[in-house]
Amino acid sequence: MSTAGIVFSNIHDRNVSQLTTERTMASVPIGGRYRLIDFILSNMVNAGITKVGIICKTNYQSLARHIGTGKDWDLARKEKGIVILSPYSDKEAGPLYSNRLEALQSAKVYINSCDEDYFIMSDSDVVANLPYDKIIEQHEASGADITGVYKTIEVKKPIHRTSTLFDISEDGQIAGLTSHTQIEGTVNFSLNVWVMNRELVKNIIQDSITYGKKSLSREVLAPLVAEGKVKIMA
């Protein structure tokens, strides 16, 4: 049940543009002492994950300084450990990424070098103490290709941001996955934490390059939901 971690450091920068003009979302300070990425790294290390790749795009100098060698999380290792995946593009993947799928394409070389059974992926702004080990255990036990994590919330005042929402059936299974630019009411909000089987991730990346796919949620995850290959965990 070996697992490697992938963190998207820049995905939501535009949501707090005043705070990310000179840094990534991942390195936005919180509580005066910590950075947003500290929560994700702590969750991963507490789950026994000792190999983590952080996909970066722009303004990641402060993030690199904060992480250093990874010693604070016991990730300063000759093998595995933490790696800053600096901006990279090739003739297959195209220009620097603008979404998660393109970000995965930019990290293709690193991902293809991983031999762990699973990847657990997270955005950098998930401020929560999540039991990644339990999520991975449930994923393995379910036999699913992908497991997503969500939280049911009541939004009293409309929020204008692109968000992924789950449609959940009466038996607690995922019935659909949709992307919204405005959310309100009671919704099953995706935390954008996903566990995926290793070979599936590699195939998703190559397939998206070959066929020019741009959206992870709409063009990759939604069809897999329809095929019954995606499970969810609250």
Side-chain angles (χ1 to χ4, degrees), residues 112-228:
N112 285 343
S113 72
C114 294
D115 58 5
E116 284 73 16
D117 298 317
Y118 309 116
F119 287 100
I120 186 165
M121 305 179 188
S122 175
D123 290 348
S124 59
D125 58 348
V126 183
V127 182
N129 182 18
L130 295 178
Y132 282 12
D133 51 346
K134 302 299 183 184
I135 297 168
I136 296 166
E137 287 174 7
Q138 177 172 310
H139 173 77
E140 185 177 44
S142 70
D145 290 339
I146 300 174
T147 296
V149 183
Y150 76 96
K151 182 176 179 60
T152 301
I153 60 175
E154 183 180 355
V155 181
K156 296 181 178 179
K157 183 178 180 180
I159 299 175
H160 298 275
R161 57 169 286 180
T162 301
S163 304
T164 299
L165 305 181
F166 292 149
D167 297 324
I168 300 177
S169 61
E170 292 183 359
D171 62 357
Q173 301 300 311
I174 182 171
L177 179 153
T178 54
S179 181
H180 297 259
T181 56
Q182 175 179 303
I183 59 174
E184 57 185 317
T186 301
V187 297
N188 301 306
F189 184 80
S190 170
L191 298 183
N192 287 317
V193 174
W194 303 93
V195 180
M196 301 187 187
N197 298 345
R198 178 191 64 212
E199 292 305 317
L200 175 63
V201 174
K202 295 179 179 180
N203 290 339
I204 285 172
I205 293 172
Q206 190 55 53
D207 187 65
S208 66
I209 293 172
T210 301
Y211 296 102
K213 295 179 180 179
K214 298 297 182 182
S215 172
L216 180 63
S217 60
R218 185 177 64 256
E219 297 180 90
V220 177
L221 298 178
L224 291 173
V225 168
E227 294 173 18

Side-chain angles (χ1 to χ4, degrees), residues 43-167:
N43 287 336
M44 289 185 175
V45 171
N46 289 339
I49 297 169
T50 58
K51 185 174 185 177
V52 181
I54 303 176
I55 304 178
C56 299
K57 181 181 179 181
T58 57
N59 296 334
Y60 61 94
Q61 293 87 351
S62 64
L63 176 63
R65 288 196 301 270
H66 177 67
I67 290 173
T69 64
K71 182 179 179 180
D72 289 345
W73 300 274
D74 192 27
L75 291 173
R77 301 169 182 239
K78 291 183 178 180
E79 295 184 4
K80 299 187 177 182
I82 194 165
V83 178
I84 295 285
L85 301 174
S86 55
Y88 175 78
S89 62
D90 61 21
K91 62 182 179 181
E92 282 191 313
L96 294 181
Y97 69 85
S98 60
N99 54 54
R100 289 184 192 82
L101 190 53
E102 291 176 350
L104 290 174
Q105 292 173 6
S106 76
K108 180 180 67 173
V109 173
Y110 174 79
I111 289 172
N112 285 343
S113 72
C114 294
D115 58 5
E116 284 73 16
D117 298 317
Y118 309 116
F119 287 100
I120 186 165
M121 305 179 188
S122 175
D123 290 348
S124 59
D125 58 348
V126 183
V127 182
N129 182 18
L130 295 178
Y132 282 12
D133 51 346
K134 302 299 183 184
I135 297 168
I136 296 166
E137 287 174 7
Q138 177 172 310
H139 173 77
E140 185 177 44
S142 70
D145 290 339
I146 300 174
T147 296
V149 183
Y150 76 96
K151 182 176 179 60
T152 301
I153 60 175
E154 183 180 355
V155 181
K156 296 181 178 179
K157 183 178 180 180
I159 299 175
H160 298 275
R161 57 169 286 180
T162 301
S163 304
T164 299
L165 305 181
F166 292 149
D167 297 324

